[in-house]
Amino acid sequence: MKTKILSISEKDIEIAARIIRDGGLVAFPTETVYGLGADALNAQAVGSIYEAKGRPSDNPMIVHIARASDMGRLTPRLSPDIVNLIENFWPGPLTMVVKKKDEVPDRTTGGLDTVAVRMPDSKAALNLITMSDCPIAAPSANISGRPSPTRARDVIADMDGKIEAIVEGEDCRVGIESTVVDMTSGIPTILRPGIITAENIEAALGKKVQYDPALLADDQAMKNQGGEGLKPKSPGMKYKHYAPKAQMTVIEGRRDKVKAEIKRLKGLNERLGLKVGIILFEEKAFIEAAHDFFAKLRDLDGEEVDLILAGAMSDSDGVGFAVMNRMLKSAGYNIAKV
Ligand code: AMP
Ligand code: MG
């Protein structure tokens, strides 16, 4: 298939919207990462997303909308908490899991009776959704298991020839995927951390939120069992994710010791003839780390390093926690404590 490369001009977005309306696939920028979109209410179109990505079919999609009133097409009722979060955080990097209406195909929700919805804070994405005149199901626009794409060239590397079109926009502002919060029980439950933190949501709702226990699982348990038995509520959390081509180790411990260990391991491995890449962000620069992390993994892949040594960031439940969630998955929970 010849993939059209489109710009974010109105004329090009109209071409992209027609492709979506006709049941095709379009990759497009959002503020978090690039998405791979199809008409969320067209089961066949959504099916081709799984094919293009090589994504396990029980891993549901996030459905993107452009107006809060579109929630009514997807879910039968809006609780006061849901309305509150819409008002506080949309458009923005917060996805809510809510009860689904029958019109939402099982293909979109991986057979669940709930649907994940968000309104992206990106003009190109909002224009595309509005012109398509349908909610757009979109997971990240990478081959399943690879680092999420935060730049148009990363999307082209993974998806050229596999989908109808790619809308080339700016690099993504946030750089990691949205926070996913399950709103289907009394206590809002974070299924995937992002730059909107538990604390942000608690401040808006005036009540406690909890984390899916699988998220907080002991590193070692995750490493030993890959999370099996912990049953994450968010099906996507159980797959191998974000992996660079190189082997990757996260070094965890006091900052000075982490730096020294990275230096030691780098020297050791280079003497053995290996090419070593390093990921070490400024100590509390969590937002920058979120912005750069996936791009850095892809750049190191491009440099064909053999080994990546990454310094852990410590932040138990803020943005740093969201970055560490991605970093540990990328490394397959391969952790060295110092
Ligand atoms: P991605 O589309 O790659 O950003 O991944 C979407 C994330 O949201 C995955 O971790 C999914 O498992 C999760 N998700 C989507 N829909 C639901 C749902 N109905 N219930 C729980 N998690 C969901
Ligand atoms: Mg993804």
Side-chain angles (χ1 to χ4, degrees):
M1 176 183 311
K2 174 111 180 73
T3 301
K4 281 197 179 75
I5 306 292
L6 301 171
S7 75
I8 57 170
S9 72
E10 190 163 328
K11 192 172 125 269
D12 275 13
I13 296 283
E14 180 49 54
I15 296 171
R18 193 165 327 124
I19 293 171
I20 298 271
R21 284 199 299 274
D22 290 344
L25 300 187
V26 176
F28 62 97
T30 78
E31 83 281 29
T32 56
V33 303
Y34 273 74
L36 177 55
D39 177 350
L41 304 180
N42 177 341
Q44 203 180 340
V46 170
S48 37
I49 295 181
Y50 289 101
E51 254 168 61
K53 278 183 64 93
R55 179 174 171 111
S57 61
D58 70 335
N59 190 0
M61 312 270 164
I62 292 174
V63 176
H64 295 71
I65 60 176
R67 288 172 313 223
S69 57
D70 288 342
M71 271 300 254
R73 291 172 77 179
L74 306 170
T75 187
R77 60 178 175 279
L78 296 178
S79 68
D81 283 349
I82 294 173
V83 173
N84 182 324
L85 295 185
I86 290 175
E87 278 175 359
N88 274 285
F89 298 110
W90 281 6
L94 179 71
T95 296
M96 282 189 256
V97 172
V98 297
K99 278 259 159 280
K100 87 168 183 77
K101 273 192 171 169
D102 289 344
E103 290 87 322
V104 183
D106 282 343
R107 206 85 183 87
T108 303
T109 63
L112 298 171
D113 62 357
T114 53
V115 59
V117 190
R118 92 173 183 104
M119 188 192 297
D121 185 16
S122 146
K123 211 168 148 218
L126 292 171
N127 285 344
L128 177 64
I129 300 163
T130 304
M131 289 193 202
S132 303
D133 200 26
C134 61
I136 295 185
S140 47
N142 53 289
I143 291 169
S144 199
R146 299 262 305 129
S148 298
T150 58
R151 306 170 296 196
R153 62 179 179 279
D154 302 335
V155 181
I156 293 171
D158 279 17
M159 289 297 153
D160 194 21
K162 298 198 178 95
I163 61 178
E164 278 78 4
I166 296 171
V167 175
E168 262 186 320
E170 306 264 280
D171 293 355
C172 300
R173 176 171 58 78
V174 174
I176 58 172
E177 306 86 344
S178 57
T179 305
V180 178
V181 60
D182 180 1
M183 299 302 290
T184 59
S185 68
I187 309 171
T189 305
I190 295 193
L191 307 183
R192 177 172 76 183
I195 69 156
I196 293 178
T197 63
E199 204 180 316
N200 298 149
I201 297 172
E202 283 173 351
L205 296 179
K207 67 160 135 176
K208 270 279 178 216
V209 310
Q210 63 184 14
Y211 286 104
D212 182 4
L215 259 186
L216 302 177
D218 173 50
D219 298 336
Q220 205 54 42
M222 286 300 283
K223 191 176 170 186
N224 293 341
Q225 337 160 18
E228 293 303 323
L230 289 162
K231 284 212 177 24
K233 263 189 146 181
S234 186
M237 301 303 273
K238 69 178 186 245
Y239 300 110
K240 185 173 156 67
H241 241 104
Y242 314 132
K245 290 179 187 138
Q247 198 220 314
M248 176 167 165
T249 302
V250 176
I251 321 290
E252 216 174 65
R254 247 181 41 207
R255 190 74 181 173
D256 52 342
K257 287 192 169 172
V258 166
K259 281 187 176 165
E261 182 65 358
I262 287 179
K263 196 168 165 209
R264 189 185 74 82
L265 287 173
K266 181 171 187 284
L268 190 72
N269 283 280
E270 283 176 348
R271 281 195 294 281
L272 296 172
L274 295 182
K275 195 164 174 188
V276 180
I278 290 176
I279 300 182
L280 187 63
F281 298 109
E282 291 293 317
E283 196 165 1
K284 298 280 173 202
F286 302 127
I287 295 284
E288 287 88 338
H291 181 269
D292 292 348
F293 179 64
F294 286 131
K296 187 84 190 160
L297 285 184
R298 283 186 175 258
D299 287 348
L300 291 173
D301 270 352
E303 290 167 30
E304 302 192 324
V305 302
D306 301 296
L307 173 67
I308 297 174
L309 300 169
M313 304 186 86
S314 66
D315 179 17
S316 61
D317 58 6
V319 176
F321 175 63
V323 173
M324 284 314 297
N325 171 267
R326 274 64 174 190
M327 195 185 278
L328 291 170
K329 280 178 189 292
S330 305
Y333 291 89
N334 186 19
I335 302 162
K337 292 205 159 81
V338 288

